[in-house]
Amino acid sequence: TWTETLSQKVDDVSAKYPQDIALRDGLGNTLTYAAMNRTIDQISEELVKGNVKPGDKVGIFQQPGAPWICSLLATWRSGAVYVPLDPRNGLARLGATVGVVEPSAILCDNSVAKDVSELSAPSNCQVINVDQVRKADASVTRRPNPATPNGSAIIVSSSGSTGVPKCIEVRHSSLLNLFEGDSKNWTLGRPNSLQQSAY
């Protein structure tokens, strides 16, 4: 039985290797664990200021890259549930997912900010542009992490081929089992499965 959540595992690795490269993507973004954690804290702070509470759903509607991973980890650090909204899947399908999940917040970036309205999010849904957050003051203090191992970590949705996507919630402990198993089976050594995982 796991006593940690995924975001707590990331915190443990970050504390051991603060100046090592944590994230590198094909868009030219490279972040050390320390820089990644600052970005996560900034985004998490904005979620909490936007009244996102533990267990609330947060849609991540950004271009796939290092900032997306920071948004995912900020969602977990806030105790919220990650809902991937990959722009490559088309606005109609994403809008259907948003309609089923009804997120409390959507994290977007400059590249897709103009398209957020097409997702038909609930009127009380906060929209936070992480590109603007990342340019703000980086001196936020880390809040306590309210996520629990048995709490929901992610909502995975089907293709919606029957008209409405089916959504499945996956717990933190289930994802930890998956990542730990992959790490051991493939002898990856130090935790690095994020770079190999689907968004």
Side-chain angles (χ1 to χ4, degrees):
T1 303
W2 293 103
T3 58
E4 289 184 302
T5 64
L6 288 160
S7 55
Q8 290 163 336
K9 283 286 226 187
V10 170
D11 289 347
D12 293 345
V13 174
S14 298
K16 290 179 188 172
Y17 311 105
Q19 299 310 314
D20 285 10
I21 299 299
L23 298 171
R24 180 179 292 138
D25 64 24
L27 304 173
N29 297 302
T30 301
L31 295 173
T32 64
Y33 280 101
M36 179 186 74
N37 266 312
R38 278 193 300 278
T39 303
I40 294 167
D41 286 337
Q42 287 175 291
I43 297 169
S44 179
E45 181 71 15
E46 290 301 311
L47 287 170
V48 173
K49 283 183 186 174
N51 291 322
V52 171
K53 297 173 180 55
D56 283 356
K57 281 83 173 174
V58 175
I60 300 184
F61 181 54
Q62 298 170 214
Q63 289 302 314
W68 179 305
I69 300 299
C70 292
S71 293
L72 177 159
L73 294 171
T75 298
W76 287 340
R77 191 171 280 171
S78 304
V81 183
Y82 163 58
V83 180
L85 300 172
D86 190 336
R88 298 173 295 185
N89 288 334
L91 293 173
R93 177 179 169 197
L94 298 179
T97 298
V98 167
V100 171
V101 173
E102 298 185 332
S104 297
I106 292 177
L107 298 174
C108 68
D109 61 21
N110 287 338
S111 71
V112 295
K114 66 186 184 321
D115 297 323
V116 173
S117 62
E118 299 292 319
L119 300 179
S120 301
S123 59
N124 62 342
C125 178
Q126 300 289 318
V127 177
I128 300 168
N129 186 328
V130 297
D131 286 333
Q132 294 173 0
V133 171
R134 291 170 60 215
K135 292 178 183 171
D137 178 20
S139 61
V140 295
T141 302
R142 180 164 305 162
R143 293 175 178 268
N145 185 335
T148 63
N150 286 324
S152 293
I154 181 174
I155 293 180
V156 181
S157 61
S158 67
S159 64
S161 59
T162 59
V164 179
K166 312 285 187 300
C167 296
I168 301 165
E169 293 192 38
V170 180
R171 294 178 301 170
H172 283 274
S173 57
S174 298
L175 285 179
L176 272 171
N177 280 331
L178 172 67
F179 293 146
E180 288 285 322
D182 286 350
S183 187
K184 287 176 182 162
N185 284 340
W186 300 104
T187 56
L188 297 175
R190 219 168 83 197
N192 61 358
S193 57
L194 282 177
Q195 70 180 4
Q196 301 298 331
S197 300
Y199 288 98

